[in-house]
């Protein structure tokens, strides 16, 4: 033991130590390899395996093998057919003249690292080392929560993912759709506009797989109402004033006749709000109803208004039937005129 100390540095030492422990060689007694340059150290190609899969570690034997072992770093997994590892995922596959193969099932990140096969032959000791590399599909572990901001705010979205190799990122605005510049875990949106509201998609990708998640940005802004169109209604008929407001969050509406607030059910009028639209309906327009109406749309960020004039319309002149009749007559006249030639 004194030769190497407990924490073995070189693999050659390790092999000697392991074998001493293994076969209870008294310290000090010569072991074939001790202190000479007779050991063969071979490095095999790295083995790349995905998390959850099974990896086989195969070690050629040959010559007359007296002792053989597989080690994970400095701990013995198998010494010949004796299992030293307590890990149930590790098991013996083949042990014969040609090969000594063990397998590790359901590999995980912690299994990554060097594995050594140490072989003691009649001639000289030999080690074969192989590096296991574990690949892990990306998983988005920390994505910004959906946010609600006011127009003009600076917004940063974050999307953190685990995975091996390190995942790379792309960002996309789904609706309205568009790819975004960031190739990073972070997406900066300076002074966000209402057009930039929507569903953002973060994609984390590495050599083996992809993970996608989405996050919603809501952009609040003050209402803007479309200009009111004056409406002509015949006395005793039904009339409707429509007020449309673009706002987030949705606006509340107020209707005024000049300076007087109108409430639902008031004087045979009905106010009906549906999302962006508010309708003021007169079921039976009377003389007193003609006049100037104002609609105000309000949300927590502000308000906007527009005015309408409800005016008297002559019972006949505006009606569709009259128009159609006029046009039909005109067309017939033109037709007759043309047919003369
Ligand atoms: C094996 O993997 C190790 C650790 O990632 C690396 O340093 C080494 O260059 C790789 N060797 C080969 C042959 O790919
Ligand atoms: C290999 O060693 C590492 C570090 O001690 C340990 O976390 C891992 O579980 C071991 N793997 C096997 C298959 O023994
Ligand atoms: C997610 O990121 C935030 C901000 O960097 C951090 O405070 C939080 O601890 C992270 N959560 C997890 C689960 O990593
Ligand atoms: C947004 O960022 C710009 C540039 O960094 C800064 O000048 C501005 O004050 C920020 N706006 C807000 C609302 O924080
Ligand atoms: C409309 O109002 C007038 C006057 O109040 C009334 O004479 C008429 O019957 C009403 N018409 C309808 C359809 O209710
Ligand atoms: C209607 O009322 C609004 C608000 O009082 C006013 O600004 C507008 O000029 C009026 N329109 C007409 C045609 O009188
Ligand atoms: C209607 O909007 C104008 C600006 O567009 C504003 O000056 C006025 O005060 C508003 N009227 C009401 C009743 O909110």
């Amino acid at each position: 033991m004194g030769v190497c100390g407990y924490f073995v540095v070189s693999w050659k030492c390790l092999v000697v130590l392991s074998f001493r422990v293994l076969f209870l060689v008294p310290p000090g007694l010569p072991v074939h390899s001790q202190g000479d340059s007779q050991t063969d150290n071979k490095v095999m190609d790295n083995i790349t395996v995905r998390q959850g899969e099974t990896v086989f570690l195969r070690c050629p034997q040959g010559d007359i093998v007296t002792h053989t072992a597989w080690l994970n770093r400095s701990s013995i997994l198998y010494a010949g057919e004796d299992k030293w590892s307590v890990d149930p995922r590790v098991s013996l596959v083949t042990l014969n003249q040609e090969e000594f193969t063990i397998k590790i099932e359901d590999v995980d990140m912690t299994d990554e690292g060097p594995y050594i096969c140490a072989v003691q032959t009649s001639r000289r000791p030999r080690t074969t080392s192989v590096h296991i590399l574990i690949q892990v599909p990306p998983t988005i572990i920390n994505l910004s929560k959906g946010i609600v901001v006011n127009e003009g705010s600076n917004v940063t979205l974050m999307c953190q993912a685990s995975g091996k190799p390190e995942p790379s990122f792309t960002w996309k605005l789904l609706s309205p759709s568009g790819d975004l510049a960031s190739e990073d875990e972070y997406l900066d949106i300076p002074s966000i506009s209402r057009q930039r509201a929507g569903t953002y998609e973060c994609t984390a990708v590495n050599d083996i797989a992809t993970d996608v998640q989405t996050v919603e940005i809501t952009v609040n802004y003050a209402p803007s109402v479309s200009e009111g169109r004056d409406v002509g209604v015949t006395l005793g008929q039904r009339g409707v004033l429509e007020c449309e407001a673009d706002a987030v969050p949705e606006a509340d509406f107020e209707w005024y006749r000049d300076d007087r607030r109108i409430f639902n059910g008031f004087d045979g009028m009905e106010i009906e709000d549906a999302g962006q639209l508010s309708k003021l309906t007169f079921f039976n327009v009377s003389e007193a109803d003609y006049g100037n109406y104002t609609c105000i749309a309000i949300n927590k960020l502000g308000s906007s208004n527009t005015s309408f004039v409800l005016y008297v319309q002559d019972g006949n002149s505006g009606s569709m039937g009259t128009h159609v009749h006029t046009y039909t007559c005109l067309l017939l006249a033109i037709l007759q005129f043309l047919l003369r030639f």
Side-chain angles (χ1 to χ4, degrees):
M1 289 281 200
V3 182
C4 303
Y6 192 74
F7 289 99
V8 180
V9 180
S10 84
W11 289 115
K12 197 201 253 178
C13 245
L14 171 69
V15 174
V16 174
L17 175 66
S18 309
F19 275 51
R20 282 225 165 106
V21 174
L22 215 50
F23 310 113
L24 302 171
V25 179
L29 274 189
V31 175
H32 277 275
S33 69
Q34 193 179 350
D36 61 27
S37 55
Q38 293 270 297
T39 308
D40 284 335
N41 295 309
K42 202 170 145 232
V43 178
M44 290 200 286
D45 287 343
N46 287 342
I47 300 177
T48 300
V49 59
R50 288 187 192 186
Q51 185 183 43
E53 292 184 349
T54 298
V55 62
F56 290 84
L57 298 177
R58 185 179 172 277
C59 179
Q61 302 293 285
D63 282 348
I64 298 152
V65 174
T66 55
H67 303 107
T68 183
W70 264 112
L71 294 86
N72 169 7
R73 296 179 182 82
S74 58
S75 17
I76 296 165
L77 298 175
Y78 263 91
E81 60 187 10
D82 293 329
K83 185 175 175 184
W84 282 47
S85 169
V86 294
D87 194 328
R89 299 173 304 134
V90 179
S91 57
L92 181 63
V93 179
T94 312
L95 177 58
N96 60 26
Q97 293 273 294
E98 281 78 46
E99 64 172 89
F100 176 26
T101 303
I102 63 167
K103 69 176 177 186
I104 307 167
E105 288 167 279
D106 190 20
V107 294
D108 205 347
M109 286 295 287
T110 55
D111 297 322
E112 183 162 296
Y115 288 74
I116 315 287
C117 172
V119 177
Q120 181 86 333
T121 68
S122 56
R123 288 216 205 121
R124 55 182 169 177
R126 196 175 71 218
T127 68
T128 305
S129 64
V130 57
H131 206 100
I132 297 183
L133 295 170
I134 310 290
Q135 289 187 326
V136 183
T139 307
I140 295 172
I141 47 172
N142 201 355
L143 179 69
S144 297
K145 299 267 175 295
I147 49 166
V148 178
V149 294
N150 292 345
E151 196 167 39
S153 305
N154 295 330
V155 175
T156 300
L157 292 181
M158 178 192 60
C159 179
Q160 292 176 333
S162 62
K164 227 175 143 286
E166 283 280 319
S168 61
F169 297 88
T170 53
W171 289 92
K172 207 173 184 181
L173 175 54
L174 293 184
S175 51
S177 73
D179 285 323
L180 301 162
S182 179
E183 309 251 294
D184 198 53
E185 290 173 300
Y186 295 95
L187 175 68
D188 285 317
I189 312 168
S191 187
I192 194 165
S193 66
R194 62 191 71 181
Q195 289 78 22
R196 282 288 175 109
T199 305
Y200 285 76
E201 183 185 78
C202 167
T203 304
V205 58
N206 70 9
D207 294 350
I208 54 172
T210 298
D211 192 21
V212 180
Q213 285 198 21
T214 58
V215 55
E216 206 78 34
I217 301 184
T218 305
V219 177
N220 285 342
Y221 50 92
S224 65
V225 293
S226 336
E227 183 124 11
R229 275 181 301 109
D230 294 344
V231 174
V233 181
T234 311
L235 195 64
Q237 295 295 299
R238 187 183 141 96
V240 181
L241 299 180
E242 286 188 349
C243 181
E244 197 175 356
D246 180 20
V248 176
E250 264 175 10
D252 292 323
F253 293 90
E254 289 178 3
W255 285 92
Y256 291 84
R257 166 75 192 270
D258 301 318
D259 290 333
R260 205 157 43 88
R261 174 100 187 252
I262 300 165
F263 294 95
N264 196 16
F266 186 84
D267 277 353
M269 293 177 226
E270 184 190 75
I271 298 171
E272 202 181 356
D273 295 347
Q276 301 209 319
L277 194 67
S278 181
K279 282 190 202 172
L280 175 64
T281 305
F282 302 85
F283 291 104
N284 179 0
V285 170
S286 69
E287 201 68 59
D289 289 334
Y290 294 117
N292 186 2
Y293 292 83
T294 301
C295 157
I296 307 180
I298 304 161
N299 74 5
K300 60 185 176 184
L301 294 186
S303 69
S304 166
N305 66 69
T306 188
S307 293
F308 311 75
V309 173
L310 185 71
Y311 63 87
V312 187
Q313 189 169 54
D314 182 326
N316 293 318
S317 67
S319 83
M320 196 63 170
T322 320
H323 276 294
V324 170
H325 184 69
T326 313
Y327 280 113
T328 312
C329 290
L330 194 64
L331 280 174
L332 280 173
I334 294 171
L335 208 60
Q336 273 172 358
F337 175 76
L338 289 174
L339 284 173
R340 278 207 224 146
F341 298 93

